[in-house]
Amino acid sequence: DLATAFNDRGQIKYLRVEFAAAMEDYTAAIECQPGFEVPYYNRGLVLYRLGCFDEAMKDFRKVLELNPQFEDAALSLKQAVLDKEEKQKRSY
């Protein structure tokens, strides 16, 4: 389906370190199928790598709302919280 196609294309762009383009595809996948948790997770990973911890945590929480058994999202959420706290301690 279209949401899966956008998500898959986003993955290719992510692997090429084309983060802005990957996020556009993940967002398009979400718009096509709002209940599909994978593109939220993938977009969260990009946001995390860019240091946008609040936005990443929002996406990881949405994944867990849609699928509470999504362990990688739970781990990523914990890591984003820890890294945000560490960044605040260092006051970047």
Side-chain angles (χ1 to χ4, degrees), residues 1-86:
D1 65 79
L2 193 56
T4 301
F6 276 124
N7 183 70
D8 292 349
R9 190 172 75 177
Q11 280 297 98
I12 292 165
K13 292 176 181 176
Y14 176 79
L15 294 171
R16 291 182 181 161
V17 196
E18 297 170 7
F19 293 149
M23 284 204 315
E24 286 175 15
D25 280 344
Y26 296 142
T27 301
I30 289 164
E31 288 168 356
C32 287
Q33 193 177 334
F36 183 25
E37 72 272 19
V38 176
Y40 287 101
Y41 176 71
N42 290 331
R43 188 174 68 181
L45 290 177
V46 174
L47 289 163
Y48 172 83
R49 288 200 53 189
L50 294 173
C52 303
F53 299 124
D54 289 329
E55 294 92 337
M57 290 186 289
K58 184 177 173 189
D59 274 351
F60 295 143
R61 285 188 181 109
K62 182 65 178 180
V63 172
L64 294 169
E65 177 187 311
L66 293 168
N67 179 359
Q69 308 307 315
F70 201 123
E71 273 188 47
D72 286 344
L75 292 171
S76 295
L77 176 59
K78 282 183 191 170
Q79 192 60 53
V81 170
L82 291 172
D83 288 353
K84 179 184 175 187
E85 289 171 359
E86 186 62 32

